[in-house]
Amino acid sequence: MTGEENAPDATHEARQDVRMLDTSALKALAHPLRVRIYDILSQFGPQTASSLAEMTGESSGATSYHLRALAKHDLIREVDDRGTARERWWERPRGGISFTNPEAMKTPSGKAATQAVMTEFLNRRHQQLMRYLSETILDPEGHEDEAAISTATARMTVEQTVELISGIQKLIDAAVDKYRDQTGEGVRPISIRTDIFPLPEEGH
């Protein structure tokens, strides 16, 4: 599982700007609040400990502590030329990340950290999707056409599956590169997801 800011959860192995997280970085990220903070910085841009406290319902002391822990492993960084000594701004560096490090997966602690991080990210994605659905259904002026939520099944070889993933990823990469820094009226963060995987056998 990999991800990039503003376009999380996609396969980026072929790109040069992907950082594969080592075991120490995975362990540092393997905390529910740290995953949430990291994801907020990815999706909504730079924040302060105070703004993150408002968004998460935690104290600014707690968010400040976790921000420093993330920064220690270069998962986030302080924004240059912004903020004061009392109010520091933090951002998620641009570029993709990969949570599935083969070296980390060789140790029990690495496997546990990888599972914890991926579980938290996927739980957050599901919660965001369900919130969108509930708010759209309850809103008489909702815009159902702004989202694509569908499921399809095909019978494919490994090679065909890889080709499909590569084609979809190229479309996502092009959109992210084109609109990554777009600002203006009506512009808001959009989550772009791809879930492509072999189905496990039923009853197992």
Side-chain angles (χ1 to χ4, degrees), residues 58-109:
E58 301 288 339
S59 69
S60 58
T63 56
S64 180
Y65 169 79
H66 289 297
L67 283 166
R68 292 194 300 271
L70 292 171
K72 183 178 179 181
H73 294 272
D74 298 320
L75 291 163
I76 63 172
R77 65 190 177 194
E78 191 171 357
V79 180
D80 293 333
D81 303 322
R82 187 173 183 181
T84 64
R86 292 176 58 87
E87 192 74 293
R88 303 163 70 184
W89 286 80
W90 300 89
E91 66 181 357
R92 195 271 220 200
R94 180 169 294 185
I97 60 169
S98 174
F99 302 137
T100 49
N101 185 330
E103 290 301 315
M105 297 296 285
K106 291 179 180 179
T107 66
S109 61

